[in-house]
Amino acid sequence: MNIAFIAHDKKKDDLVRFTIAYEGVLKSHTLYSTGTTGLRIMEETALYLHRYKSGPLGGDQQIGAMIAENKMDLVIFFKDPLTAQPHEPDISALIRLCDVYSIPLATNMATAEVLLSGLKRGEFKWREILKEKNRNEN
């Protein structure tokens, strides 16, 4: 599966700790991230992530483009709800795209843990069915 990681500055440490805890599950998937978040994860784990630009510089939109093309299966975005973000419209657009294309989205550690527990158990087979349907329609 293709999994994207994004984290606001005050949540990057939490996301790094999360990926350390789930490294065994994540290592068999294709991972993507915004710039600094991906660098931090790669520095602390043996995981490789394809890194896009920093979120405020277009990285959120690059991941959004993958979602719109049905090339992303899961998004883990540790948001900081207590700090104003200058690129809030980009964040809202990314969340909206996840809803439009039925992409599971976790915006906090609790939800991310539930999603990765399901991933570990193989409960995302429906994504393959959806991808096949989209291929047949195009």
Side-chain angles (χ1 to χ4, degrees):
M1 295 189 78
N2 293 331
I3 303 171
F5 292 96
I6 307 166
H8 287 146
D9 289 343
K10 292 184 179 178
K11 297 294 183 174
K12 288 187 192 319
D13 288 341
D14 289 342
L15 185 56
V16 168
R17 286 191 290 273
F18 181 81
T19 56
I20 290 169
Y22 283 93
E23 188 169 353
V25 175
L26 295 170
K27 68 182 177 184
S28 61
H29 298 279
T30 305
L31 309 178
Y32 298 84
S33 71
T34 49
T36 307
T37 299
L39 180 62
R40 293 277 315 278
I41 292 169
M42 288 193 300
E43 288 174 343
E44 299 291 329
T45 69
L47 299 171
Y48 173 78
L49 290 87
H50 175 84
R51 292 171 51 224
Y52 287 115
K53 294 181 180 201
S54 173
L57 298 178
D60 298 333
Q61 292 178 342
Q62 289 175 298
I63 290 173
M66 286 190 71
I67 293 167
E69 294 174 5
N70 203 31
K71 294 180 181 176
M72 189 60 65
D73 299 299
L74 177 66
V75 176
I76 297 176
F77 185 173
F78 282 13
K79 291 177 51 183
D80 177 4
L82 301 178
T83 303
Q85 302 296 328
H87 62 295
E88 190 65 40
D90 297 336
I91 296 164
S92 296
L94 180 74
I95 291 169
R96 184 177 60 252
L97 283 171
C98 287
D99 289 339
V100 167
Y101 291 98
S102 296
I103 304 300
L105 167 69
T107 59
N108 60 61
M109 192 177 300
T111 307
E113 186 165 41
V114 170
L115 290 179
L116 284 192
S117 294
L119 181 64
K120 184 178 179 181
R121 290 188 305 267
E123 296 177 0
F124 283 85
K125 299 297 182 197
W126 61 272
R127 282 292 302 148
E128 293 304 319
I129 294 167
L130 186 59
K131 284 181 182 179
E132 184 63 30
K133 177 185 173 213
N134 288 337
R135 276 192 288 269
N136 291 335
E137 290 176 356
N138 292 330

